[in-house]
Amino acid sequence: RFEVINPYNKRKSDLSPWWEEQLKNNNNVPNGIVKINHCDPQHASPNETGGPNILYTRWDTWGPPKSWVTGIAKEFNECWVPNKFCIANNKNESLNIPTRVIPYCIDWEKYSKPTSKSKIVGVPSENIVFGTTMSWNNKENASDLIIAYCTEFTGDLDKVSLVIKIDAANADDANEKAKVVSLVQEIKNLVGKPKMPPVVLINDVFTEDGMDNIIASFDVYVSAAR
């Protein structure tokens, strides 16, 4: 049984036909014995059947956020994470519940042999595209990524572009978009080179296929996330 959690009030994008079909049939499926909450713990809910309640989440910090620890141990039977980093070096001991790694499912064929790629405005076809997807916050560390890119390459010498797809909380807010553009310019000013390589920002909402096509247009996926 699928239940949609949308705590950030983002504009709904079109879903793939498979997801549309699953959600349409949602009310015809009874609650399961095991409930898996795929979200941050503050957005989870109890298992109405009385069965095991699982939290499937992640954190970018060295250990689980301190504000999460008490609630996770109290409200869930197990915590699942997508990679070994989250539980390496006994970082999960503070949770006091079983923790296991369940990797995210990725269709490797789709990304290794993409059938279509997006043509991104502002990116010449001959340029090598460095690309990333991120939320604009300290943990994603966009500033270090942009500084490294602008330091390494020069606009009139290197045929490269950096494309940043931003997961914006308010994608329709023109002020938020202008703020990010201003922040990128401030970061470029810190480097202080006369001719900067292009940085292209995308913060619109796309369908799942649209996002796949954007990622497929990257020649190199980059990240400076902490």
Side-chain angles (χ1 to χ4, degrees):
R1 176 184 175 94
F2 289 107
E3 298 178 12
V4 177
I5 298 177
N6 190 15
Y8 304 111
N9 297 320
K10 294 180 182 178
R11 187 179 67 194
K12 292 182 178 179
S13 61
D14 295 333
L15 297 173
S16 66
W18 185 88
W19 276 108
E20 291 282 7
E21 186 67 22
Q22 304 310 311
L23 295 173
K24 183 177 68 175
N25 295 331
N26 177 53
N27 292 329
N28 299 324
V29 180
N31 286 322
I33 298 174
V34 177
K35 182 170 186 177
I36 302 172
N37 296 273
H38 185 31
C39 57
D40 290 347
Q42 64 268 29
H43 302 302
S45 57
N47 188 344
E48 298 84 355
T49 68
N53 203 29
I54 309 296
L55 176 67
Y56 190 17
T57 190
R58 62 185 284 270
W59 47 83
D60 299 321
T61 46
W62 183 244
K66 292 181 180 179
S67 60
W68 288 14
V69 171
T70 301
I72 290 177
K74 181 180 179 181
E75 299 171 17
F76 303 99
N77 300 97
E78 289 191 9
C79 180
W80 298 354
V81 294
N83 56 64
K84 294 181 180 179
F85 168 81
C86 291
I87 61 173
N89 301 319
N90 300 318
K91 292 195 289 286
N92 61 311
E93 286 186 346
S94 59
L95 295 180
N96 294 319
I97 59 173
T99 310
R100 67 182 72 204
V101 176
I102 310 290
Y104 290 140
C105 296
I106 296 175
D107 186 347
W108 178 246
E109 287 295 317
K110 177 189 290 186
Y111 293 105
S112 62
K113 301 174 183 179
T115 56
S116 59
K117 300 182 180 182
S118 292
K119 172 62 178 175
I120 300 175
V121 176
V123 177
S125 58
E126 68 273 14
N127 279 20
I128 295 174
V129 180
F130 296 92
T132 190
T133 60
M134 66 168 65
S135 298
W136 193 278
N137 57 41
N138 290 334
K139 288 189 294 184
E140 295 289 356
N141 200 19
S143 57
D144 280 2
L145 175 61
I146 296 170
I147 288 172
Y149 165 76
C150 291
T151 301
E152 181 68 23
F153 301 107
T154 302
D156 58 346
L157 297 177
D158 302 301
K159 295 186 179 299
V160 296
S161 296
L162 174 62
V163 175
I164 302 177
K165 168 62 180 79
I166 299 172
D167 183 18
N170 299 297
D172 294 323
D173 188 342
N175 291 328
E176 184 171 326
K177 182 181 294 186
K179 180 180 178 181
V180 173
V181 171
S182 178
L183 287 170
V184 171
Q185 189 57 51
E186 289 180 15
I187 294 169
K188 283 186 169 185
N189 292 340
L190 290 174
V191 179
K193 289 171 64 173
K195 294 186 178 181
M196 296 288 184
V199 177
V200 178
L201 300 174
I202 305 173
N203 71 340
D204 300 300
V205 177
F206 295 91
T207 63
E208 183 180 350
D209 288 339
M211 278 298 302
D212 289 341
N213 291 340
I214 289 173
I215 294 172
S217 71
F218 301 163
D219 297 299
V220 182
Y221 192 94
V222 292
S223 174
R226 295 172 175 146

